[in-house]
Amino acid sequence: MTHFTREPLSLERLVAEVSSPACGGTCVFLGTVRNGPAEGGVTAIEYSAYEAMLEAEFGRLLADAGGRWPDVRIAVRHRLGTIPVGDASIAIVAAAPHRAQAFDACRFMIEEVKRRIPVWKKELRVDGSEVWVDPSGRPTAKPSHV
Amino acid sequence: MTHFTREPLSLERLVAEVSSPACGGTCVFLGTVRNGPAEGGVTAIEYSAYEAMLEAEFGRLLADAGGRWPDVRIAVRHRLGTIPVGDASIAIVAAAPHRAQAFDACRFMIEEVKRRIPVWKKELRVDGSEVWVDPSGRPTAKPSHV
Amino acid sequence: MQTTPGTVQVRFFARYAELVGRSATAVSLTLPATVGDVVRLVRERLPGAGAIPERPLAAVNLKHVRLDAPVQDGDEVALLPPIAGG
Amino acid sequence: MQTTPGTVQVRFFARYAELVGRSATAVSLTLPATVGDVVRLVRERLPGAGAIPERPLAAVNLKHVRLDAPVQDGDEVALLPPIAGG
């Protein structure tokens, strides 16, 4: 199983991966590239990853989620490369017999992704500048000597 | 805006309805027709509604959600008619600047739908019997004189 | 209090429609009256309606109401089985 | 305690790769040693690496580790900028 792709994410395909007659509630999280008031002119984000570790860590994360919610079926895909504003960078699907578990497992997954999965992003701005994004949401200016 | 359909739900289309460059987190809930161990031979569910009230109540519900989460964009569609096991009966999409609001608004919507939106379901079983489902999840036997 | 004759349309859905074998009926009554009065009259007058609970979920003109809500001449009163959507 | 010479592969990602102008380097060191020792050696020896924090996030052989974790000969040690996925 590969947990990343350089192609646009297909939500329908990811939902189909975990669908089951025993599951009545499915919760999906989509993270999309944003250009809101706080961003100021983002045209795209370039996502990069430590790909081998991304796979290993997603494997461990899914095992953790499976331990907490044995009946929940989870699929996750992170998109890498240059992603334009409005496109999804991550899709998580949690299908469960009952909806509370689906919501809880999906929320757990995205919080853990943001804590554990080795992915980085660089904002590409309308003025041509590029800034690394730090986890608090504040961009780090590109060092002048690079 | 019509909040119900007799056709299969299109998740991609519903997501597109609320997408916005200002929204970085989107939470989706899909309710699907289940045939788990507790159901015992459900082949499909026949959904019916008080359609005019469904529209009016969805309008009020969306206004309530908009009051709580002014920045969240929400779309919802309930499918009616005979829905086979595995197909979605409801899709809710909540797109927000930040993910916590998206999860909260989506969860609020499905809980309120189950409390307020006048929809009923009748399980169609493999043995040919039909049973109305009551909200606690226990079917009500079809009265013998009908 | 002055009383006047009135008529409301009563609608039935799902299992309740099966119980009474129809989806609507007109109910003549003396106003002022409440939704609870309409339910009582329906249960007395309409064959099969005795199997509808004494205190069902109800709506007037597309809004959820309590059984002590008043009805007006021409209102649409709906008796709703336990909601099971989503 | 007996000491032996060893080599680890150190990998850089994202902003750290930009700072050092490369994505990997081999570091020779005396074992036993910790991830923290590797970080210190890299920051001393590699041009540009002084701008990497003294206590960065790190992984050994694809797993998150603390800086006091030991390294073995042949390990892949990764220095990870603040994670920003999702």
Side-chain angles (χ1 to χ4, degrees):
Chain A
M1 175 66 72
T2 300
H3 297 105
F4 69 91
T5 175
R6 295 182 182 281
E7 305 300 318
L9 296 170
S10 166
L11 186 49
E12 305 275 9
R13 201 177 310 163
L14 211 61
V15 168
E17 278 183 24
V18 294
S19 290
S20 148
C23 291
T26 299
C27 182
V28 177
F29 179 76
L30 285 177
T32 47
V33 172
R34 204 162 78 100
N35 179 25
E39 279 70 31
V42 172
T43 58
I45 289 183
E46 200 180 286
Y47 280 85
S48 58
Y50 183 4
E51 295 180 7
M53 183 175 168
L54 175 151
E55 294 294 5
E57 193 66 23
F58 262 131
R60 290 186 287 264
L61 173 50
L62 287 165
D64 291 350
R68 287 181 181 228
W69 296 281
D71 297 335
V72 180
R73 296 161 58 91
I74 300 174
V76 58
R77 208 75 88 248
H78 206 304
R79 183 173 167 190
L80 300 177
T82 301
I83 309 182
V85 166
D87 270 23
S89 51
I90 191 167
I92 299 167
V93 182
H98 300 289
R99 66 185 179 281
Q101 295 175 316
F103 275 98
D104 290 349
C106 191
R107 185 70 190 268
F108 171 81
M109 285 294 297
I110 183 60
E111 300 302 331
E112 290 296 294
V113 164
K114 289 183 176 276
R115 212 172 62 81
R116 293 164 56 169
I117 303 296
V119 171
W120 300 279
K121 55 188 184 187
K122 187 196 258 178
E123 289 181 354
L124 310 183
R125 305 217 162 173
V126 286
D127 63 5
S129 65
E130 302 180 347
V131 283
W132 290 104
V133 178
D134 99 354
S136 68
R138 285 185 295 276
T140 305
K142 189 170 179 173
S144 56
H145 67 278
V146 176
Chain B
M1 175 65 71
T2 299
H3 297 104
F4 69 92
T5 176
R6 295 183 182 281
E7 306 300 318
L9 296 170
S10 166
L11 186 49
E12 306 276 7
R13 200 178 311 162
L14 211 62
V15 169
E17 278 183 24
V18 294
S19 290
S20 149
C23 292
T26 299
C27 182
V28 177
F29 179 76
L30 285 178
T32 48
V33 172
R34 202 161 78 101
N35 179 25
E39 279 70 30
V42 172
T43 58
I45 289 182
E46 199 180 288
Y47 281 84
S48 59
Y50 183 4
E51 296 180 7
M53 183 175 167
L54 175 150
E55 294 294 6
E57 193 66 23
F58 262 131
R60 289 186 288 264
L61 173 51
L62 287 166
D64 291 349
R68 288 180 180 228
W69 297 282
D71 297 336
V72 180
R73 297 160 58 91
I74 300 174
V76 58
R77 207 75 87 250
H78 206 304
R79 182 173 168 190
L80 300 177
T82 302
I83 308 182
V85 166
D87 271 25
S89 52
I90 191 167
I92 299 168
V93 182
H98 300 289
R99 67 185 179 280
Q101 295 176 316
F103 275 99
D104 290 349
C106 191
R107 184 71 189 267
F108 171 80
M109 285 294 297
I110 184 60
E111 299 302 331
E112 291 296 295
V113 164
K114 288 181 176 278
R115 212 172 62 81
R116 293 163 57 169
I117 303 296
V119 171
W120 299 280
K121 55 188 184 187
K122 186 195 260 178
E123 289 182 354
L124 310 182
R125 306 217 160 173
V126 285
D127 63 5
S129 65
E130 303 179 347
V131 283
W132 290 104
V133 178
D134 98 355
S136 69
R138 285 187 294 277
T140 305
K142 189 170 179 174
S144 55
H145 67 277
V146 175
Chain C
M1 185 184 280
Q2 198 176 346
T3 63
T4 57
T7 304
V8 297
Q9 291 297 319
V10 179
R11 297 191 60 180
F12 305 97
F13 294 91
R15 196 170 75 87
Y16 295 173
E18 282 187 359
L19 289 171
V20 299
R22 61 171 76 189
S23 62
T25 192
V27 171
S28 300
L29 74 178
T30 302
L31 300 174
T34 66
V35 176
D37 294 328
V38 175
V39 172
R40 188 172 40 77
L41 292 172
V42 165
R43 293 180 79 251
E44 283 169 14
R45 296 180 190 170
L46 196 66
I52 293 175
E54 286 180 42
R55 301 187 57 77
L57 208 57
V60 172
N61 300 337
L62 312 182
K63 291 183 86 157
H64 288 291
V65 293
R66 292 161 39 138
L67 295 179
D68 58 6
V71 292
Q72 312 292 335
D73 186 45
D75 276 354
E76 177 170 298
V77 177
L79 306 190
L80 312 176
I83 284 176
Chain D
M1 186 183 282
Q2 198 179 344
T3 64
T4 57
T7 302
V8 297
Q9 292 296 319
V10 180
R11 298 192 59 179
F12 305 97
F13 294 92
R15 195 169 75 85
Y16 296 172
E18 282 187 0
L19 289 170
V20 299
R22 62 170 75 190
S23 62
T25 191
V27 171
S28 300
L29 73 177
T30 301
L31 301 172
T34 66
V35 175
D37 294 328
V38 175
V39 172
R40 188 173 40 77
L41 291 172
V42 165
R43 294 180 78 252
E44 283 168 14
R45 295 180 190 169
L46 196 67
I52 293 174
E54 286 180 43
R55 300 187 57 77
L57 207 58
V60 172
N61 301 337
L62 312 182
K63 290 183 87 157
H64 288 290
V65 293
R66 292 161 40 136
L67 296 179
D68 58 5
V71 293
Q72 312 292 335
D73 186 44
D75 277 354
E76 176 171 298
V77 178
L79 306 189
L80 312 176
I83 283 175

